[in-house]
């Protein structure tokens, strides 16, 4: 499952090609992904201008303006386990920013939704001005797309219980202390709870806990003082989570196995993991002689160093 940095990488890649542009044609090549597509999906999107592309947790949020009845709507998209967007320009191959590897499969059988965008300067290094097709490819079809009214969107069942964005101003030591107070669940499980913080997944929680020197097994409540105030450990953890995510976004996302950048390439951050998928490797923390171990928590692999994570 792509995590927040992967989704943010996709958003940043698509935004220059979609924001402020009209959808000349939308094509749905099947009636469903994980769930049925909205009624008259392609018809309702065709001709509308995509005003802004945002992200909430692991969802992409495209503001497509008013429908035929004047109701402002948002195209909500989730990549699921293997979904990705591919940019197909009028001429030439997809541009490949940076030094990447492992091209994404482009099997037409898995191209389920296509958005034909009007041309216009996209601000890229190539100065591409022609139209492009944004192709949603999803071999496993665990992704999803919804058209939802903008009014009341925060109260929709998809979003009403999602916690603060870890890179936003509401994710503070005080907020995390309140969320963890009284929770006896293991710290890693608590951070994976989307009600506590939005968008965190298995990979980056493992990485953040290692950098912060915190055991994934310790009770979540131990990071909150008896008064309910944040401890120094929570202050450090909040800062570390931000740093890990920002580094991953800068590197283009971890892109494990199926996940790919919008231009069909994979990024490098997966090669800089300190603990994730490094069972038996030496701990990289300064002065630590420990070995990376693996345990299973709630059916998911946890990678950590028992010597320096307490």
């Amino acid at each position: 499952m792509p995590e927040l940095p992967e989704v943010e990488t996709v958003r940043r890649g698509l935004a220059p090609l979609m924001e402020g542009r009209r959808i000349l044609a939308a094509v749905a090549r099947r009636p469903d992904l994980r769930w049925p597509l909205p009624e008259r999906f392609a018809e309702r999107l065709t001709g509308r201008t995509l005003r802004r592309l945002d992200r909430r947790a692991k969802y992409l949020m495209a503001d497509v303006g008013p429908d035929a009845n004047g109701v402002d709507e948002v195209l909500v998209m989730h990549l699921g386990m293997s979904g990705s967007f591919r940019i197909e320009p009028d001429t030439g191959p997809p541009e490949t920013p940076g030094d990447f590897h492992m091209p994404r499969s482009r099997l037409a059988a898995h191209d389920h939704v296509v958005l034909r965008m009007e041309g216009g300067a996209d601000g890229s290094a190539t100065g591409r001005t022609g139209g492009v097709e944004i192709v949603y490819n999803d071999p496993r079809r665990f992704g999803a797309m919804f058209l939802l009214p903008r009014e009341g969107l925060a109260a929709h069942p998809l979003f009403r219980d999602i916690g603060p964005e870890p890179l936003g101003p509401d994710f503070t030591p005080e907020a995390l202390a309140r969320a963890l107070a009284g929770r006896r669940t293991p710290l890693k499980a608590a951070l994976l709870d989307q009600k506590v913080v939005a968008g965190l997944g298995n990979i980056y929680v493992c990485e953040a806990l290692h950098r912060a020197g915190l055991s994934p097994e310790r009770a979540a409540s131990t990071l909150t003082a008896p008064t309910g105030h944040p401890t120094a450990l929570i202050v450090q953890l909040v800062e570390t989570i931000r740093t890990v995510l920002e580094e991953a976004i800068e590197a283009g996302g971890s892109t494990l196995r199926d996940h790919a950048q919008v231009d069909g390439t994979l990024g490098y951050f997966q090669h800089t993991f300190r603990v994730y998928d490094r069972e038996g490797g030496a701990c990289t923390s300064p002065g630590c002689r420990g070995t990376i171990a693996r345990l299973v928590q709630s059916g998911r692999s946890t990678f950590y160093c028992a010597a320096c994570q307490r």
Side-chain angles (χ1 to χ4, degrees), residues 212-257:
L214 296 171
S215 170
E217 297 183 285
R218 73 181 294 161
S221 60
T222 61
L223 269 64
T224 301
T227 59
H229 292 88
T231 63
L233 293 176
I234 272 195
V235 174
Q236 181 182 8
L237 179 59
V238 168
E239 180 179 346
T240 302
I241 288 172
R242 290 182 185 275
T243 298
V244 166
L245 295 177
E246 287 168 352
E247 287 182 3
I249 293 169
E250 182 67 23
S254 69
T255 58
L256 287 181
R257 295 185 178 87

Side-chain angles (χ1 to χ4, degrees), residues 99-102 251-256 259-261 265-271:
D99 185 16
F100 300 101
H101 60 282
M102 293 176 64
S254 69
T255 58
L256 287 181
H259 192 67
Q261 285 188 270
T265 60
L266 300 188
Y268 270 142
F269 190 67
Q270 58 183 332
H271 299 292

Side-chain angles (χ1 to χ4, degrees), residues 88-113:
E88 294 288 351
D90 281 341
T91 59
E95 66 180 81
T96 306
D99 185 16
F100 300 101
H101 60 282
M102 293 176 64
R104 179 77 162 120
S105 171
R106 298 181 184 177
L107 289 177
H110 304 311
D111 290 348
H112 303 311
V113 175

